[in-house]
């Protein structure tokens, strides 16, 4: 399995970053166990939590000198939102991605929007909780989750967001799946009790998080099968 690099903006609290990293680390374990049970010698990719990083040898403002450069490249200065596809494009083009393909995860305290067809409330208040590119990267925002008053509930919602967003990176639900799937804002979403269900707001995200926690659900059986297929595809591609 490919390694996973994490970065986050300075305004992200340490517990928020730790929640996302530990949740995705758990998903990595799930994927490894699935691959091993299917008879594949899947290796564990490195987890690289870089945080808010700087390369001291590079002049400030030069390409890839810091996490802040990614922000600068993707920030809409008129409204303060990060444009997810721009951020992901910097991941796609970075020299480290070219030298060694890996998954990238960014955690932002800025508000976030996606391409117009993927935004929630596209006319009045365009935004998303996460912007993802399958098999490459997830950019997720804690900005709107901070409206949830109780810290424990905010953490539960963030954990669920990380499971959903990184599931999209792992190509869930599969694009060619024909059952219990529909399109929501231009992306496939699962219709089973599953973390790949679409949540339109923080309240629904939290409600799904509670339900999935109570029923010990991460991904449904169909999305779990899709995850195994992803592990197999990437296993043979990397070899």
């Amino acid at each position: 399995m490919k390694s996973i690099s994490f970065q986050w903006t300075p305004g992200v609290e340490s517990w928020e970053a730790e929640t996302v990293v530990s949740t995705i680390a758990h998903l990595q374990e799930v994927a490894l166990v699935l691959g091993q049970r299917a008879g594949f010698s899947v290796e564990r990719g490195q987890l690289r939590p870089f945080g808010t990083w700087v390369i001291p040898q590079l002049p400030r403002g030069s390409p890839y000198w810091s996490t802040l450069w990614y922000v600068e490249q993707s920030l809409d200065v008129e409204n303060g939102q990060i444009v997810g596809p721009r951020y992901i494009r910097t991941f796609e083009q970075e020299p480290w991605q070219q030298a060694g393909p890996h998954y990238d995860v960014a955690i932002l305290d800025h508000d976030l929007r996606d391409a117009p067809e993927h935004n929630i409330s596209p006319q009045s208040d365009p935004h998303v909780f996460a912007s993802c590119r399958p098999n490459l990267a997830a950019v997720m925002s804690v900005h709107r989750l901070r409206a949830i008053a109780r810290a424990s509930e905010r953490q539960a919602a963030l954990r669920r967001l990380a499971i959903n967003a990184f599931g999209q990176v792992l190509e869930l639900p599969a694009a060619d799946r024909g059952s219990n799937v529909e399109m929501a804002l231009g992306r496939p979403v699962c219709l089973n009790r599953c973390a790949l269900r679409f949540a339109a707001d923080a309240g629904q995200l939290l409600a799904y998080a509670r339900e999935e926690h109570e029923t010990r659900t991460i991904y449904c059986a169909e999305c779990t099968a899709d995850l195994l297929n992803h592990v197999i595809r990437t296993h043979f591609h990397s070899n």
Side-chain angles (χ1 to χ4, degrees):
M1 190 172 180
K2 293 191 293 186
S3 63
I4 309 170
S5 294
F6 300 85
Q7 62 173 262
W8 50 87
T9 51
V12 171
E13 296 184 27
S14 58
W15 72 264
E16 292 171 323
E18 191 279 332
T19 296
V20 172
V21 173
S22 63
T23 299
I24 291 177
H26 180 65
L27 295 180
Q28 183 191 52
E29 289 297 320
V30 171
L32 288 171
V33 169
L34 285 174
Q36 290 164 358
R37 286 179 177 174
F40 298 95
S41 55
V42 181
E43 295 184 0
R44 178 180 285 98
Q46 282 187 301
L47 298 177
R48 297 168 175 157
F50 293 117
T52 305
W53 54 266
V54 174
I55 301 178
Q57 298 88 341
L58 294 179
R60 183 182 179 93
S62 62
Y64 298 102
W65 75 278
S66 166
T67 300
L68 301 180
W69 182 84
Y70 292 74
V71 173
E72 292 165 357
Q73 298 305 301
S74 54
L75 181 66
D76 183 335
V77 295
E78 292 186 0
N79 62 17
Q81 284 184 309
I82 295 292
V83 182
R86 293 183 195 169
Y87 209 110
I88 292 173
R89 190 154 52 246
T90 64
F91 280 141
E92 184 179 27
Q93 297 173 350
E94 68 182 16
W96 307 286
Q97 186 65 243
Q98 304 303 317
H102 58 275
Y103 301 120
D104 275 302
V105 175
I107 313 160
L108 313 176
D109 60 311
H110 301 71
D111 199 18
L112 179 67
R113 75 171 189 264
D114 209 321
E117 64 272 21
H118 301 316
N119 285 322
I120 301 170
S121 304
Q123 302 303 321
S124 60
D125 182 24
H127 69 278
V128 289
F129 295 109
S131 178
C132 306
R133 177 89 65 84
N135 205 29
L136 179 63
V139 178
M140 60 189 77
S141 169
V142 300
H143 178 80
R144 295 188 183 241
L145 298 187
R146 290 176 174 176
I148 300 172
R150 292 182 59 184
S152 60
E153 292 184 339
R154 195 158 64 248
Q155 184 175 37
L158 178 56
R159 187 178 295 114
R160 204 270 182 180
L161 173 60
I163 294 170
N164 179 282
F166 200 67
Q168 293 182 56
V169 175
L170 298 174
E171 302 179 296
L172 311 180
D176 60 352
R177 201 172 92 194
S179 61
N180 297 310
V181 67
E182 69 177 9
M183 301 300 289
L185 300 178
R187 300 191 188 282
V189 298
C190 188
L191 297 177
N192 298 318
R193 178 181 291 159
C194 177
L196 270 299
R197 290 180 290 182
F198 171 69
D201 54 42
Q204 190 172 34
L205 187 66
L206 178 58
Y208 282 159
R210 289 170 175 155
E211 179 187 1
E212 290 153 13
H213 175 73
E214 290 169 359
T215 57
R216 302 178 65 84
T217 301
I218 300 178
Y219 300 132
C220 68
E222 288 178 287
C223 283
T224 300
D226 292 339
L227 175 56
L228 175 58
N229 288 334
H230 173 86
V231 170
I232 293 170
R233 283 195 305 274
T234 54
H235 170 79
F236 283 111
H237 177 73
S238 62
N239 288 283

